[in-house]
Amino acid sequence: MTILGTNYLRIQNFIWRNSMRIPVCLVTIMLVLLSYSIIFAAPILQVKNQNYDFGEVFQGEKVPHTFEFVNEGDETLHIDRVRSSCGCTAVLVSEKTIQPGGKGELKANFDSTRFRGAVSKTIYIYSNDPVNPTMQLHVRGKVLEVVAVQPAQINFGTVPAKRPVKSTVVLRNQGEKPLTLGKAKSTAAELTVKMSETSFDQGDEVTLELQLIPKPGQGRFSGYVLVPVDGVPKNELRIPVYATITN
């Protein structure tokens, strides 16, 4: 029997023993209130802080965080399951059964490899809390690219066949250490690329010179410029290149 149930019986016995000295209406009100407290006894999931802002991290870093929670209700809290809004955030709960007043932890680990710029991920906790059966937690922040690519892609637009077109891409080292670049190459023979430097310090820039000589009858060109770089996701930069070819 719960503490609340034991107290209910004690108060009920007190009322019956003193029923001659307590007005009937007051006895009725006390019993009704106690009955409601028993009926509505429930677990309450309370998270210390539902929002976590990790600030800024470089692309590829993992961001761990622990959310602390407590059962502030007067019944046992059962956590059915937890999930995140994408596979990039792993979640693990320490306890799935929390007694009244008990505490637990939810460990989250966000992988920034596939992201850049502002990100926001949601974690869902499903429990038997009748007021809030689906608790939402949020992980937010900004993912910085180790190497900024400007522009991020090249679209030559409409280009006559066999007529060379050129463009420039600038790579900037935004990381915290010098970087070494491998040999730049393209995925198509008609697209060539030249690189100004093979290494650059923090804050330095490297220029890529692209040239496309479209083939007749090609219609639509689509390819990539690939630049091997240590310290970035998959150790390679991929720059999309597009064009529409006319005869």
Side-chain angles (χ1 to χ4, degrees), residues 16 38 42 44 54 59 75 77 84 117 124 126 138 142 156 162 173 177 179 182 185 198 205 229 235 238-239 241 244:
W16 292 132
I38 294 297
I44 300 174
F54 58 78
Q59 195 175 43
E75 289 291 337
L77 173 70
S84 62
Y124 302 90
Y126 300 90
H138 302 282
K142 185 176 183 180
F156 285 108
K162 296 184 178 181
N173 182 358
K177 60 183 180 180
L179 295 174
K185 60 183 180 180
T198 57
E205 295 181 347
V229 186
N235 295 321
R238 296 172 63 89
I239 305 169
V241 180
T244 300

Side-chain angles (χ1 to χ4, degrees), residues 176-239:
E176 299 174 335
K177 60 183 180 180
L179 295 174
T180 300
L181 306 176
K183 183 179 180 180
K185 60 183 180 180
S186 76
T187 57
E190 59 269 39
L191 177 64
T192 58
V193 55
K194 294 181 180 180
M195 188 163 55
S196 62
E197 302 287 343
T198 57
S199 63
F200 54 155
D201 292 330
Q202 181 182 7
D204 287 351
E205 295 181 347
V206 169
T207 301
L208 302 178
E209 299 289 344
L210 281 61
Q211 177 174 274
L212 175 66
I213 304 178
K215 296 178 180 179
Q218 197 168 10
R220 175 74 175 169
F221 173 82
S222 178
Y224 289 92
V225 170
L226 308 177
V227 184
V229 186
D230 289 335
V232 302
K234 298 184 179 180
N235 295 321
E236 184 179 68
L237 298 176
R238 296 172 63 89
I239 305 169

Side-chain angles (χ1 to χ4, degrees), residues 36-147:
Y36 270 102
S37 67
I38 294 297
I39 293 172
F40 292 104
I44 300 174
L45 173 60
Q46 185 66 42
V47 179
K48 186 175 181 180
N49 190 341
Q50 293 178 235
N51 299 285
Y52 173 61
D53 190 328
F54 58 78
E56 295 181 343
V57 299
F58 283 108
Q59 195 175 43
E61 291 184 30
K62 290 181 171 58
V63 182
H65 181 68
T66 299
F67 292 95
E68 299 177 354
F69 60 87
V70 62
N71 178 9
E72 293 189 347
D74 43 32
E75 289 291 337
T76 302
L77 173 70
H78 297 286
I79 296 178
D80 299 323
R81 63 189 179 100
V82 295
R83 72 174 182 88
S84 62
S85 56
C86 83
C88 61
T89 306
V91 290
L92 179 65
V93 66
S94 61
E95 301 287 343
K96 288 193 173 183
T97 301
I98 312 295
Q99 299 301 323
K103 298 180 180 180
E105 294 181 342
L106 186 146
K107 295 183 181 296
N109 197 349
F110 168 66
D111 186 350
S112 66
T113 299
R114 297 187 294 108
F115 299 91
R116 62 184 178 186
V119 295
S120 178
K121 300 301 171 185
T122 304
I123 298 169
Y124 302 90
I125 304 178
Y126 300 90
S127 74
N128 64 331
D129 182 336
V131 176
N132 192 5
T134 306
M135 172 77 75
Q136 293 188 17
L137 312 178
H138 302 282
V139 176
R140 299 185 177 94
K142 185 176 183 180
V143 179
L144 304 176
E145 295 175 288
V146 176
V147 178

